[in-house]
Amino acid sequence: MSDKTLTRMDLSEAVFREVGLSRNESAQLVESVLKHMSDALVRGESVKISSFGTFSVREKSARMGRNPKTGEEVPIHPRRVLTFRPSHLMKDRVASGNKR
Amino acid sequence: MIRSELIQRIADENPHLYQRDVERIVGTVFEEIVAAMERGDRVELRGFGAFSVKKRDGRTGRNPRTGEAVEVDEKHVPFFKTGKLLRDRLNGKD
């Protein structure tokens, strides 16, 4: 494992290399991919990307929680959480790429 | 929303680009993320979320049908953690 962290910059650099748009426009397009995905999720839609995975929004109901430090009970409000389910292809590639 | 709808939205916003270039742009973004995780790298997209690889230790499992013990090897699985901004937006905090 190389343990590097990639950022938006690395993704836009890849788009720049692959597609040959300017660096600036490549960065804007990466941003717009993320923005359209986020907007769909905020509208409550799932985002299903073939051979990558599915992002879906789940509704969590209210429950009583506890402050682990003080032991005090605190209400946890109902909220929406995002879950990501990787595709089989992604799981297989990640598993085989990281085998010792 | 599925991949083709994402491509369509981006194509609509960028009429100067060929459809096939938009397809390559979107494909490249997802391919880079998978390729990074394949190498064991993390991908951190501030505001959206972070993709990383988690190790699952080997264990002795059981065939649920026969009850027979089977060795399950250690493996690596993809993991996604939602970014703070997106988590807040999902809950109406803009």
Side-chain angles (χ1 to χ4, degrees), chain B residues 3 7 19 23 25 27 39 41 43 47 49 59 63 72 87:
Chain B
R3 185 195 281 260
I7 290 167
Q19 175 90 11
E23 284 166 16
I25 291 158
R39 297 188 300 266
D41 292 343
V43 182
R59 61 191 166 86
N63 180 327
V72 180
R87 204 183 331 128

Side-chain angles (χ1 to χ4, degrees), chain B residues 5-32:
Chain B
E5 291 163 345
L6 175 60
I7 290 167
Q8 197 50 55
R9 280 178 189 271
I10 293 169
D12 291 347
E13 274 179 357
N14 296 276
H16 62 293
L17 296 178
Y18 289 113
Q19 175 90 11
R20 63 158 195 277
D21 282 342
V22 178
E23 284 166 16
R24 286 182 67 198
I25 291 158
V26 171
T28 300
V29 168
F30 294 119
E31 172 54 29
E32 282 297 303

